[in-house]
Structure formats: C-alpha cells, structure tokens
Short mmCIF file of all heavy atoms in Angstrom, two decimals:
data_model
loop_
_atom_site.label_atom_id
_atom_site.label_comp_id
_atom_site.label_asym_id
_atom_site.label_seq_id
_atom_site.Cartn_x
_atom_site.Cartn_y
_atom_site.Cartn_z
N MET S 10 35.25 -14.46 9.93
CA MET S 10 33.96 -13.82 9.91
C MET S 10 32.99 -14.66 9.07
O MET S 10 33.33 -15.12 8.00
CB MET S 10 34.10 -12.43 9.30
CG MET S 10 33.01 -11.54 9.67
SD MET S 10 33.45 -9.87 9.10
CE MET S 10 32.42 -8.99 10.16
N GLU S 11 31.81 -14.85 9.58
CA GLU S 11 30.83 -15.69 8.91
C GLU S 11 29.94 -14.84 8.00
O GLU S 11 29.42 -13.81 8.41
CB GLU S 11 29.97 -16.39 9.96
CG GLU S 11 28.95 -17.32 9.39
CD GLU S 11 28.11 -17.96 10.49
OE1 GLU S 11 28.64 -18.20 11.59
OE2 GLU S 11 26.93 -18.19 10.25
N THR S 12 29.79 -15.28 6.77
CA THR S 12 28.90 -14.57 5.86
C THR S 12 27.61 -15.37 5.76
O THR S 12 27.62 -16.58 5.55
CB THR S 12 29.52 -14.42 4.46
OG1 THR S 12 29.78 -15.71 3.94
CG2 THR S 12 30.78 -13.60 4.54
N LYS S 13 26.51 -14.67 5.92
CA LYS S 13 25.21 -15.32 5.85
C LYS S 13 24.57 -14.98 4.52
O LYS S 13 24.49 -13.81 4.14
CB LYS S 13 24.32 -14.85 6.99
CG LYS S 13 23.00 -15.55 7.01
CD LYS S 13 22.15 -15.13 8.17
CE LYS S 13 20.84 -15.90 8.08
NZ LYS S 13 19.83 -15.34 8.89
N THR S 14 24.13 -16.00 3.82
CA THR S 14 23.45 -15.75 2.56
C THR S 14 21.97 -15.56 2.81
O THR S 14 21.41 -16.04 3.80
CB THR S 14 23.66 -16.92 1.58
OG1 THR S 14 23.13 -18.11 2.18
CG2 THR S 14 25.13 -17.11 1.27
N LEU S 15 21.34 -14.87 1.91
CA LEU S 15 19.91 -14.60 2.02
C LEU S 15 19.15 -15.83 1.54
O LEU S 15 19.28 -16.24 0.39
CB LEU S 15 19.57 -13.37 1.16
CG LEU S 15 18.21 -12.76 1.33
CD1 LEU S 15 18.09 -12.14 2.71
CD2 LEU S 15 17.97 -11.69 0.29
N SER S 16 18.37 -16.43 2.42
CA SER S 16 17.60 -17.60 2.03
C SER S 16 16.35 -17.17 1.27
O SER S 16 16.02 -15.99 1.20
CB SER S 16 17.19 -18.41 3.27
OG SER S 16 16.18 -17.74 3.99
N LEU S 17 15.68 -18.14 0.69
CA LEU S 17 14.47 -17.86 -0.08
C LEU S 17 13.41 -17.19 0.79
O LEU S 17 12.77 -16.23 0.38
CB LEU S 17 13.92 -19.16 -0.67
CG LEU S 17 12.57 -19.05 -1.37
CD1 LEU S 17 12.70 -18.19 -2.62
CD2 LEU S 17 12.03 -20.41 -1.70
N PHE S 18 13.26 -17.68 2.01
CA PHE S 18 12.21 -17.14 2.88
C PHE S 18 12.57 -15.77 3.42
O PHE S 18 11.69 -14.94 3.65
CB PHE S 18 11.88 -18.13 3.99
CG PHE S 18 11.29 -19.40 3.46
CD1 PHE S 18 11.96 -20.60 3.58
CD2 PHE S 18 10.07 -19.39 2.81
CE1 PHE S 18 11.43 -21.76 3.08
CE2 PHE S 18 9.52 -20.55 2.31
CZ PHE S 18 10.19 -21.75 2.43
N ASP S 19 13.86 -15.51 3.59
CA ASP S 19 14.27 -14.15 3.95
C ASP S 19 13.94 -13.18 2.82
O ASP S 19 13.49 -12.06 3.07
CB ASP S 19 15.77 -14.10 4.24
CG ASP S 19 16.15 -14.76 5.55
OD1 ASP S 19 15.27 -14.89 6.42
OD2 ASP S 19 17.33 -15.16 5.69
N ALA S 20 14.15 -13.63 1.60
CA ALA S 20 13.82 -12.79 0.44
C ALA S 20 12.32 -12.55 0.36
O ALA S 20 11.87 -11.45 0.02
CB ALA S 20 14.33 -13.44 -0.84
N ILE S 21 11.52 -13.57 0.69
CA ILE S 21 10.06 -13.40 0.67
C ILE S 21 9.65 -12.40 1.75
O ILE S 21 8.76 -11.56 1.52
CB ILE S 21 9.36 -14.76 0.87
CG1 ILE S 21 9.55 -15.62 -0.38
CG2 ILE S 21 7.87 -14.58 1.17
CD1 ILE S 21 9.00 -17.03 -0.24
N ILE S 22 10.26 -12.47 2.92
CA ILE S 22 9.94 -11.54 4.00
C ILE S 22 10.27 -10.11 3.58
O ILE S 22 9.43 -9.20 3.71
CB ILE S 22 10.69 -11.92 5.29
CG1 ILE S 22 10.15 -13.22 5.85
CG2 ILE S 22 10.59 -10.80 6.34
CD1 ILE S 22 10.99 -13.83 6.97
N TRP S 23 11.48 -9.88 3.07
CA TRP S 23 11.88 -8.52 2.68
C TRP S 23 11.10 -8.03 1.47
O TRP S 23 10.74 -6.85 1.38
CB TRP S 23 13.37 -8.45 2.43
CG TRP S 23 14.13 -8.47 3.71
CD1 TRP S 23 14.86 -9.49 4.21
CD2 TRP S 23 14.20 -7.41 4.69
NE1 TRP S 23 15.39 -9.14 5.43
CE2 TRP S 23 15.00 -7.88 5.75
CE3 TRP S 23 13.65 -6.14 4.75
CZ2 TRP S 23 15.27 -7.10 6.86
CZ3 TRP S 23 13.93 -5.37 5.87
CH2 TRP S 23 14.72 -5.84 6.91
N GLY S 24 10.82 -8.92 0.54
CA GLY S 24 9.99 -8.54 -0.61
C GLY S 24 8.59 -8.16 -0.18
O GLY S 24 8.01 -7.18 -0.67
N GLY S 25 8.02 -8.93 0.73
CA GLY S 25 6.69 -8.61 1.24
C GLY S 25 6.66 -7.30 2.00
O GLY S 25 5.70 -6.53 1.91
N ALA S 26 7.73 -7.02 2.73
CA ALA S 26 7.80 -5.73 3.44
C ALA S 26 7.84 -4.58 2.44
O ALA S 26 7.18 -3.56 2.65
CB ALA S 26 9.03 -5.70 4.34
N CYS S 27 8.60 -4.74 1.37
CA CYS S 27 8.66 -3.69 0.34
C CYS S 27 7.31 -3.49 -0.34
O CYS S 27 6.88 -2.36 -0.57
CB CYS S 27 9.73 -4.02 -0.69
SG CYS S 27 11.40 -3.94 -0.03
N VAL S 28 6.64 -4.59 -0.65
CA VAL S 28 5.31 -4.50 -1.27
C VAL S 28 4.33 -3.81 -0.33
O VAL S 28 3.52 -2.97 -0.76
CB VAL S 28 4.81 -5.90 -1.69
CG1 VAL S 28 3.36 -5.87 -2.13
CG2 VAL S 28 5.69 -6.46 -2.81
N SER S 29 4.39 -4.13 0.95
CA SER S 29 3.51 -3.48 1.93
C SER S 29 3.78 -1.99 2.04
O SER S 29 2.85 -1.19 2.16
CB SER S 29 3.67 -4.13 3.30
OG SER S 29 3.12 -5.40 3.31
N ILE S 30 5.04 -1.61 1.97
CA ILE S 30 5.38 -0.19 2.05
C ILE S 30 4.86 0.55 0.82
O ILE S 30 4.34 1.67 0.94
CB ILE S 30 6.90 -0.01 2.23
CG1 ILE S 30 7.30 -0.46 3.64
CG2 ILE S 30 7.33 1.43 1.99
CD1 ILE S 30 8.78 -0.53 3.88
N VAL S 31 4.97 -0.07 -0.35
CA VAL S 31 4.43 0.56 -1.57
C VAL S 31 2.92 0.74 -1.42
O VAL S 31 2.37 1.80 -1.77
CB VAL S 31 4.78 -0.27 -2.81
CG1 VAL S 31 4.01 0.19 -4.03
CG2 VAL S 31 6.27 -0.23 -3.08
N GLY S 32 2.23 -0.26 -0.90
CA GLY S 32 0.79 -0.15 -0.67
C GLY S 32 0.45 0.94 0.34
O GLY S 32 -0.51 1.69 0.16
N LEU S 33 1.24 1.04 1.39
CA LEU S 33 1.01 2.08 2.40
C LEU S 33 1.19 3.48 1.81
O LEU S 33 0.40 4.39 2.11
CB LEU S 33 1.94 1.87 3.58
CG LEU S 33 1.82 2.87 4.73
CD1 LEU S 33 0.43 2.79 5.35
CD2 LEU S 33 2.89 2.62 5.77
N VAL S 34 2.21 3.64 0.98
CA VAL S 34 2.43 4.94 0.33
C VAL S 34 1.23 5.27 -0.57
O VAL S 34 0.77 6.42 -0.61
CB VAL S 34 3.75 4.94 -0.46
CG1 VAL S 34 3.86 6.14 -1.37
CG2 VAL S 34 4.93 4.88 0.49
N GLY S 35 0.71 4.27 -1.26
CA GLY S 35 -0.46 4.50 -2.11
C GLY S 35 -1.68 4.91 -1.29
O GLY S 35 -2.44 5.81 -1.69
N ILE S 36 -1.89 4.28 -0.16
CA ILE S 36 -3.02 4.64 0.70
C ILE S 36 -2.86 6.06 1.22
O ILE S 36 -3.82 6.84 1.25
CB ILE S 36 -3.16 3.62 1.85
CG1 ILE S 36 -3.63 2.27 1.31
CG2 ILE S 36 -4.13 4.12 2.91
CD1 ILE S 36 -3.58 1.14 2.30
N LEU S 37 -1.65 6.41 1.62
CA LEU S 37 -1.40 7.78 2.10
C LEU S 37 -1.63 8.80 0.99
O LEU S 37 -2.17 9.89 1.25
CB LEU S 37 0.01 7.89 2.68
CG LEU S 37 0.26 7.13 3.96
CD1 LEU S 37 1.73 7.21 4.36
CD2 LEU S 37 -0.63 7.63 5.07
N TRP S 38 -1.23 8.47 -0.23
CA TRP S 38 -1.47 9.36 -1.37
C TRP S 38 -2.98 9.58 -1.56
O TRP S 38 -3.41 10.72 -1.81
CB TRP S 38 -0.86 8.78 -2.64
CG TRP S 38 -1.12 9.61 -3.85
CD1 TRP S 38 -0.44 10.71 -4.24
CD2 TRP S 38 -2.16 9.41 -4.80
NE1 TRP S 38 -1.00 11.21 -5.40
CE2 TRP S 38 -2.05 10.43 -5.76
CE3 TRP S 38 -3.17 8.46 -4.93
CZ2 TRP S 38 -2.92 10.52 -6.84
CZ3 TRP S 38 -4.03 8.56 -6.01
CH2 TRP S 38 -3.90 9.58 -6.94
N CYS S 39 -3.76 8.53 -1.44
CA CYS S 39 -5.22 8.65 -1.58
C CYS S 39 -5.80 9.55 -0.49
O CYS S 39 -6.68 10.38 -0.76
CB CYS S 39 -5.88 7.28 -1.53
SG CYS S 39 -5.51 6.22 -2.92
N ILE S 40 -5.32 9.39 0.73
CA ILE S 40 -5.80 10.21 1.83
C ILE S 40 -5.50 11.68 1.57
O ILE S 40 -6.35 12.56 1.75
CB ILE S 40 -5.18 9.74 3.16
CG1 ILE S 40 -5.74 8.38 3.54
CG2 ILE S 40 -5.41 10.76 4.27
CD1 ILE S 40 -5.02 7.72 4.70
N VAL S 41 -4.28 11.97 1.13
CA VAL S 41 -3.88 13.35 0.87
C VAL S 41 -4.71 13.95 -0.27
O VAL S 41 -5.17 15.09 -0.19
CB VAL S 41 -2.37 13.43 0.55
CG1 VAL S 41 -1.98 14.78 -0.01
CG2 VAL S 41 -1.56 13.11 1.79
N LYS S 42 -4.93 13.17 -1.33
CA LYS S 42 -5.68 13.69 -2.48
C LYS S 42 -7.12 14.02 -2.09
O LYS S 42 -7.65 15.06 -2.48
CB LYS S 42 -5.64 12.68 -3.62
CG LYS S 42 -6.32 13.19 -4.85
CD LYS S 42 -5.82 12.57 -6.10
CE LYS S 42 -6.55 13.23 -7.25
NZ LYS S 42 -5.91 13.01 -8.50
N VAL S 43 -7.77 13.16 -1.33
CA VAL S 43 -9.15 13.41 -0.92
C VAL S 43 -9.21 14.57 0.08
O VAL S 43 -10.11 15.40 0.02
CB VAL S 43 -9.79 12.13 -0.34
CG1 VAL S 43 -11.12 12.42 0.31
CG2 VAL S 43 -9.95 11.10 -1.44
N ALA S 44 -8.24 14.65 0.99
CA ALA S 44 -8.23 15.75 1.96
C ALA S 44 -8.06 17.10 1.25
O ALA S 44 -8.70 18.08 1.61
CB ALA S 44 -7.11 15.55 2.97
N ARG S 45 -7.19 17.14 0.22
CA ARG S 45 -7.04 18.38 -0.54
C ARG S 45 -8.31 18.75 -1.28
O ARG S 45 -8.68 19.93 -1.35
CB ARG S 45 -5.90 18.24 -1.55
CG ARG S 45 -4.54 18.31 -0.94
CD ARG S 45 -3.49 18.23 -2.01
NE ARG S 45 -2.16 18.22 -1.42
CZ ARG S 45 -1.07 17.89 -2.06
NH1 ARG S 45 -1.13 17.55 -3.33
NH2 ARG S 45 0.09 17.90 -1.45
N ALA S 46 -9.01 17.75 -1.80
CA ALA S 46 -10.26 18.03 -2.51
C ALA S 46 -11.33 18.54 -1.54
O ALA S 46 -12.09 19.45 -1.88
CB ALA S 46 -10.75 16.76 -3.21
N LYS S 47 -11.37 18.00 -0.34
CA LYS S 47 -12.34 18.48 0.65
C LYS S 47 -12.02 19.90 1.10
O LYS S 47 -12.92 20.71 1.32
CB LYS S 47 -12.39 17.55 1.85
CG LYS S 47 -13.16 16.29 1.60
CD LYS S 47 -13.37 15.52 2.88
CE LYS S 47 -14.29 14.36 2.64
NZ LYS S 47 -14.68 13.70 3.87
N ARG S 48 -10.72 20.20 1.25
CA ARG S 48 -10.32 21.55 1.66
C ARG S 48 -10.56 22.58 0.57
O ARG S 48 -10.67 23.77 0.87
CB ARG S 48 -8.84 21.56 2.03
CG ARG S 48 -8.64 21.72 3.51
CD ARG S 48 -7.19 21.90 3.87
NE ARG S 48 -6.60 20.58 4.12
CZ ARG S 48 -5.53 20.10 3.51
NH1 ARG S 48 -4.89 20.81 2.61
NH2 ARG S 48 -5.07 18.91 3.81
N ALA S 49 -10.64 22.14 -0.68
CA ALA S 49 -10.81 23.07 -1.80
C ALA S 49 -12.25 23.55 -1.93
O ALA S 49 -12.54 24.36 -2.80
CB ALA S 49 -10.37 22.41 -3.10
N ASP S 50 -13.12 23.09 -1.07
CA ASP S 50 -14.54 23.48 -1.09
C ASP S 50 -15.17 23.28 -2.47
O ASP S 50 -15.78 24.19 -3.03
CB ASP S 50 -14.70 24.94 -0.65
CG ASP S 50 -15.12 25.04 0.80
OD1 ASP S 50 -15.46 23.99 1.38
OD2 ASP S 50 -15.09 26.15 1.34
N LEU S 51 -15.01 22.09 -3.00
CA LEU S 51 -15.60 21.76 -4.29
C LEU S 51 -17.09 21.48 -4.11
O LEU S 51 -17.54 21.12 -3.02
CB LEU S 51 -14.92 20.52 -4.87
CG LEU S 51 -13.42 20.62 -5.12
CD1 LEU S 51 -12.88 19.28 -5.59
CD2 LEU S 51 -13.12 21.69 -6.15
N ASP S 52 -17.84 21.63 -5.20
CA ASP S 52 -19.25 21.27 -5.12
C ASP S 52 -19.37 19.74 -5.09
O ASP S 52 -18.40 19.02 -5.25
CB ASP S 52 -20.04 21.86 -6.29
CG ASP S 52 -19.55 21.38 -7.63
OD1 ASP S 52 -18.42 20.86 -7.70
OD2 ASP S 52 -20.29 21.51 -8.61
N ASP S 53 -20.57 19.26 -4.86
CA ASP S 53 -20.77 17.82 -4.65
C ASP S 53 -20.33 16.99 -5.85
O ASP S 53 -19.72 15.93 -5.69
CB ASP S 53 -22.23 17.53 -4.32
CG ASP S 53 -22.60 17.95 -2.91
OD1 ASP S 53 -21.66 18.13 -2.09
OD2 ASP S 53 -23.80 18.10 -2.63
N GLU S 54 -20.64 17.45 -7.05
CA GLU S 54 -20.28 16.67 -8.24
C GLU S 54 -18.77 16.59 -8.43
O GLU S 54 -18.23 15.54 -8.77
CB GLU S 54 -20.92 17.28 -9.48
CG GLU S 54 -22.40 17.01 -9.60
CD GLU S 54 -22.96 17.53 -10.91
OE1 GLU S 54 -22.19 17.71 -11.86
OE2 GLU S 54 -24.17 17.76 -10.95
N ALA S 55 -18.07 17.69 -8.21
CA ALA S 55 -16.62 17.69 -8.37
C ALA S 55 -15.95 16.83 -7.29
O ALA S 55 -15.01 16.08 -7.59
CB ALA S 55 -16.08 19.12 -8.30
N LEU S 56 -16.45 16.91 -6.07
CA LEU S 56 -15.91 16.08 -5.00
C LEU S 56 -16.16 14.60 -5.27
O LEU S 56 -15.29 13.76 -5.06
CB LEU S 56 -16.50 16.49 -3.65
CG LEU S 56 -15.92 15.80 -2.42
CD1 LEU S 56 -14.43 16.07 -2.29
CD2 LEU S 56 -16.65 16.27 -1.18
N GLN S 57 -17.34 14.30 -5.76
CA GLN S 57 -17.66 12.91 -6.10
C GLN S 57 -16.77 12.41 -7.24
O GLN S 57 -16.32 11.27 -7.23
CB GLN S 57 -19.12 12.79 -6.49
CG GLN S 57 -19.57 11.36 -6.70
CD GLN S 57 -21.05 11.26 -7.00
OE1 GLN S 57 -21.72 12.26 -7.23
NE2 GLN S 57 -21.56 10.06 -7.01
N SER S 58 -16.47 13.27 -8.18
CA SER S 58 -15.59 12.90 -9.28
C SER S 58 -14.17 12.58 -8.78
O SER S 58 -13.55 11.62 -9.23
CB SER S 58 -15.55 14.04 -10.30
OG SER S 58 -14.59 13.77 -11.29
N VAL S 59 -13.68 13.39 -7.86
CA VAL S 59 -12.36 13.14 -7.28
C VAL S 59 -12.37 11.82 -6.52
O VAL S 59 -11.45 11.00 -6.64
CB VAL S 59 -11.93 14.30 -6.36
CG1 VAL S 59 -10.69 13.94 -5.57
CG2 VAL S 59 -11.72 15.56 -7.17
N MET S 60 -13.41 11.59 -5.74
CA MET S 60 -13.51 10.35 -4.96
C MET S 60 -13.57 9.13 -5.88
O MET S 60 -12.95 8.10 -5.60
CB MET S 60 -14.73 10.39 -4.06
CG MET S 60 -14.73 11.51 -3.06
SD MET S 60 -13.90 11.14 -1.55
CE MET S 60 -15.06 10.11 -0.76
N GLN S 61 -14.30 9.24 -6.99
CA GLN S 61 -14.38 8.12 -7.92
C GLN S 61 -13.06 7.87 -8.62
O GLN S 61 -12.74 6.73 -8.93
CB GLN S 61 -15.48 8.38 -8.96
CG GLN S 61 -16.87 8.20 -8.42
CD GLN S 61 -17.93 8.53 -9.45
OE1 GLN S 61 -17.65 9.07 -10.50
NE2 GLN S 61 -19.17 8.18 -9.12
N SER S 62 -12.29 8.90 -8.85
CA SER S 62 -10.99 8.70 -9.49
C SER S 62 -9.96 8.12 -8.53
O SER S 62 -9.01 7.45 -8.95
CB SER S 62 -10.48 10.02 -10.07
OG SER S 62 -10.11 10.91 -9.05
N VAL S 63 -10.13 8.34 -7.23
CA VAL S 63 -9.20 7.85 -6.23
C VAL S 63 -9.52 6.41 -5.83
O VAL S 63 -8.62 5.65 -5.44
CB VAL S 63 -9.20 8.78 -4.99
CG1 VAL S 63 -8.46 8.18 -3.83
CG2 VAL S 63 -8.61 10.12 -5.36
N LEU S 64 -10.75 6.00 -5.97
CA LEU S 64 -11.18 4.68 -5.51
C LEU S 64 -10.37 3.52 -6.09
O LEU S 64 -9.92 2.66 -5.32
CB LEU S 64 -12.67 4.48 -5.79
CG LEU S 64 -13.25 3.15 -5.32
CD1 LEU S 64 -13.24 3.08 -3.80
CD2 LEU S 64 -14.64 2.96 -5.86
N PRO S 65 -10.12 3.44 -7.40
CA PRO S 65 -9.32 2.31 -7.90
C PRO S 65 -7.90 2.29 -7.33
O PRO S 65 -7.36 1.21 -7.02
CB PRO S 65 -9.29 2.52 -9.41
CG PRO S 65 -10.44 3.40 -9.71
CD PRO S 65 -10.64 4.25 -8.50
N MET S 66 -7.30 3.45 -7.19
CA MET S 66 -5.95 3.52 -6.61
C MET S 66 -5.97 3.06 -5.15
O MET S 66 -5.07 2.35 -4.70
CB MET S 66 -5.43 4.95 -6.73
CG MET S 66 -4.10 5.19 -6.10
SD MET S 66 -2.80 4.39 -7.01
CE MET S 66 -1.38 5.04 -6.16
N ASN S 67 -7.00 3.45 -4.43
CA ASN S 67 -7.13 3.07 -3.03
C ASN S 67 -7.28 1.55 -2.90
O ASN S 67 -6.63 0.92 -2.05
CB ASN S 67 -8.33 3.78 -2.41
CG ASN S 67 -8.35 3.66 -0.91
OD1 ASN S 67 -7.37 3.33 -0.29
ND2 ASN S 67 -9.51 3.93 -0.33
N LEU S 68 -8.12 0.96 -3.73
CA LEU S 68 -8.30 -0.49 -3.66
C LEU S 68 -7.04 -1.23 -4.07
O LEU S 68 -6.68 -2.25 -3.47
CB LEU S 68 -9.48 -0.90 -4.55
CG LEU S 68 -10.85 -0.48 -4.04
CD1 LEU S 68 -11.92 -0.84 -5.06
CD2 LEU S 68 -11.15 -1.11 -2.71
N GLY S 69 -6.34 -0.72 -5.09
CA GLY S 69 -5.09 -1.34 -5.50
C GLY S 69 -4.03 -1.26 -4.42
O GLY S 69 -3.29 -2.22 -4.17
N ALA S 70 -3.95 -0.12 -3.76
CA ALA S 70 -2.97 0.05 -2.68
C ALA S 70 -3.30 -0.85 -1.50
O ALA S 70 -2.40 -1.45 -0.89
CB ALA S 70 -2.92 1.51 -2.25
N LEU S 71 -4.57 -0.97 -1.19
CA LEU S 71 -4.99 -1.87 -0.11
C LEU S 71 -4.65 -3.32 -0.45
O LEU S 71 -4.16 -4.08 0.38
CB LEU S 71 -6.49 -1.72 0.16
CG LEU S 71 -7.08 -2.54 1.29
CD1 LEU S 71 -6.45 -2.15 2.61
CD2 LEU S 71 -8.57 -2.38 1.34
N PHE S 72 -4.86 -3.69 -1.72
CA PHE S 72 -4.53 -5.03 -2.18
C PHE S 72 -3.03 -5.30 -2.03
O PHE S 72 -2.61 -6.36 -1.56
CB PHE S 72 -4.97 -5.20 -3.64
CG PHE S 72 -4.60 -6.52 -4.24
CD1 PHE S 72 -5.28 -7.67 -3.89
CD2 PHE S 72 -3.57 -6.60 -5.15
CE1 PHE S 72 -4.94 -8.88 -4.45
CE2 PHE S 72 -3.22 -7.81 -5.71
CZ PHE S 72 -3.90 -8.96 -5.37
N LEU S 73 -2.21 -4.34 -2.44
CA LEU S 73 -0.76 -4.50 -2.31
C LEU S 73 -0.35 -4.66 -0.85
O LEU S 73 0.51 -5.49 -0.53
CB LEU S 73 -0.04 -3.30 -2.92
CG LEU S 73 0.15 -3.31 -4.42
CD1 LEU S 73 0.84 -2.02 -4.86
CD2 LEU S 73 0.95 -4.50 -4.87
N SER S 74 -0.93 -3.87 0.02
CA SER S 74 -0.60 -3.96 1.45
C SER S 74 -0.95 -5.34 2.01
O SER S 74 -0.16 -5.94 2.74
CB SER S 74 -1.33 -2.89 2.24
OG SER S 74 -0.86 -1.63 1.91
N VAL S 75 -2.11 -5.84 1.64
CA VAL S 75 -2.53 -7.15 2.15
C VAL S 75 -1.64 -8.26 1.60
O VAL S 75 -1.20 -9.14 2.34
CB VAL S 75 -4.02 -7.40 1.80
CG1 VAL S 75 -4.41 -8.84 2.05
CG2 VAL S 75 -4.91 -6.47 2.58
N ILE S 76 -1.35 -8.21 0.30
CA ILE S 76 -0.48 -9.23 -0.29
C ILE S 76 0.91 -9.19 0.34
O ILE S 76 1.51 -10.23 0.64
CB ILE S 76 -0.40 -9.05 -1.82
CG1 ILE S 76 -1.75 -9.34 -2.47
CG2 ILE S 76 0.68 -9.92 -2.44
CD1 ILE S 76 -2.26 -10.74 -2.27
N GLY S 77 1.43 -7.99 0.56
CA GLY S 77 2.75 -7.87 1.19
C GLY S 77 2.77 -8.44 2.60
O GLY S 77 3.71 -9.14 2.98
N LEU S 78 1.73 -8.15 3.36
CA LEU S 78 1.67 -8.69 4.72
C LEU S 78 1.51 -10.21 4.72
O LEU S 78 2.06 -10.90 5.59
CB LEU S 78 0.53 -8.04 5.51
CG LEU S 78 0.78 -6.57 5.87
CD1 LEU S 78 -0.46 -5.97 6.51
CD2 LEU S 78 1.96 -6.44 6.79
N MET S 79 0.79 -10.73 3.73
CA MET S 79 0.67 -12.18 3.61
C MET S 79 2.02 -12.81 3.26
O MET S 79 2.38 -13.87 3.77
CB MET S 79 -0.38 -12.55 2.56
CG MET S 79 -1.80 -12.29 3.03
SD MET S 79 -3.06 -12.46 1.77
CE MET S 79 -2.72 -13.99 1.03
N MET S 80 2.78 -12.13 2.39
CA MET S 80 4.11 -12.62 2.05
C MET S 80 5.02 -12.66 3.29
O MET S 80 5.76 -13.63 3.50
CB MET S 80 4.74 -11.75 0.96
CG MET S 80 4.14 -11.92 -0.41
SD MET S 80 4.74 -10.72 -1.59
CE MET S 80 6.47 -11.15 -1.71
N VAL S 81 4.95 -11.62 4.09
CA VAL S 81 5.75 -11.58 5.32
C VAL S 81 5.34 -12.72 6.26
O VAL S 81 6.19 -13.42 6.81
CB VAL S 81 5.61 -10.21 6.02
CG1 VAL S 81 6.22 -10.24 7.40
CG2 VAL S 81 6.25 -9.11 5.18
N GLY S 82 4.05 -12.92 6.40
CA GLY S 82 3.57 -14.00 7.27
C GLY S 82 4.01 -15.38 6.79
O GLY S 82 4.44 -16.23 7.59
N VAL S 83 3.93 -15.62 5.49
CA VAL S 83 4.35 -16.90 4.93
C VAL S 83 5.86 -17.07 5.11
O VAL S 83 6.34 -18.17 5.47
CB VAL S 83 3.94 -17.00 3.44
CG1 VAL S 83 4.66 -18.14 2.76
CG2 VAL S 83 2.45 -17.15 3.32
N GLY S 84 6.61 -16.01 4.85
CA GLY S 84 8.06 -16.09 5.00
C GLY S 84 8.47 -16.39 6.43
O GLY S 84 9.38 -17.18 6.68
N ILE S 85 7.80 -15.78 7.39
CA ILE S 85 8.12 -16.01 8.80
C ILE S 85 7.70 -17.43 9.21
O ILE S 85 8.42 -18.12 9.93
CB ILE S 85 7.44 -14.95 9.69
CG1 ILE S 85 8.12 -13.60 9.50
CG2 ILE S 85 7.48 -15.37 11.16
CD1 ILE S 85 7.43 -12.45 10.19
N ALA S 86 6.53 -17.86 8.73
CA ALA S 86 6.04 -19.19 9.12
C ALA S 86 6.94 -20.31 8.61
O ALA S 86 7.14 -21.32 9.30
CB ALA S 86 4.62 -19.38 8.60
N PHE S 87 7.50 -20.15 7.42
CA PHE S 87 8.29 -21.23 6.83
C PHE S 87 9.79 -21.10 7.05
O PHE S 87 10.54 -21.99 6.69
CB PHE S 87 8.01 -21.36 5.34
CG PHE S 87 6.64 -21.90 5.04
CD1 PHE S 87 5.84 -21.28 4.11
CD2 PHE S 87 6.16 -23.01 5.72
CE1 PHE S 87 4.57 -21.78 3.83
CE2 PHE S 87 4.91 -23.51 5.44
CZ PHE S 87 4.10 -22.90 4.50
N SER S 88 10.24 -19.98 7.62
CA SER S 88 11.69 -19.84 7.80
C SER S 88 12.15 -20.47 9.11
O SER S 88 11.43 -20.84 9.96
CB SER S 88 12.11 -18.39 7.77
OG SER S 88 11.59 -17.69 8.88
#
C-alpha cells in the first residue's frame, strides 16, 4: 500500500480552505446579527449602532475569505 505524504502546496490548499470557511462563518454571523436587529423593530439609532458594531467583523470575515481563496488558488497553481 502506498502512503502519500502531504506536500507543501496541499497544505496551503487545505489551510486556505479552512481560512475561507472561518471567513464564511463570520459573514453568516454578521447576517444573522443584523437580521435579528431588524426583526427586533429597533429605532434608527439603535439599528445604526448594531450595524456599526457589525461592520468591522464583516470586513474582517470578508478579508479572511478572500485570503483563503487566494491561498487555495496559489496552492492549486503551483501543485
């Protein structure tokens, strides 16, 4: 039976996939938080406050997703 070792580029592909999944979970969390705030019938100031608190998390999650997808692309291109 042949055992295959994990190459560097395979590790980059799987690492990038994990980073992308973490970013996707963060984006979904932001969607759920804003949807709950909208359903709660908050006034404009309270809704704006929730949106402002979610914005950094949303941008960070989007950044993670993009970096993860770039890692996957680089790993596939060089493997």
Side-chain angles (χ1 to χ4, degrees):
M10 201 171 201
E11 182 181 327
T12 60
K13 183 178 180 196
T14 60
L15 191 67
S16 73
L17 173 66
F18 295 114
D19 288 338
I21 290 175
I22 291 169
W23 285 107
C27 291
V28 171
S29 289
I30 289 171
V31 169
L33 180 63
V34 168
I36 291 170
L37 292 175
W38 177 82
C39 293
I40 291 170
V41 168
K42 184 154 183 163
V43 170
R45 285 183 183 166
K47 283 189 172 188
R48 251 187 269 124
D50 261 350
L51 301 175
D52 60 342
D53 286 341
E54 285 185 23
L56 186 59
Q57 186 176 10
S58 173
V59 170
M60 300 273 284
Q61 285 177 349
S62 70
V63 169
L64 181 67
M66 176 70 173
N67 192 17
L68 290 175
L71 182 62
F72 176 74
L73 278 178
S74 292
V75 168
I76 293 299
L78 290 174
M79 287 171 50
M80 288 172 65
V81 170
V83 166
I85 289 173
F87 290 133
S88 67

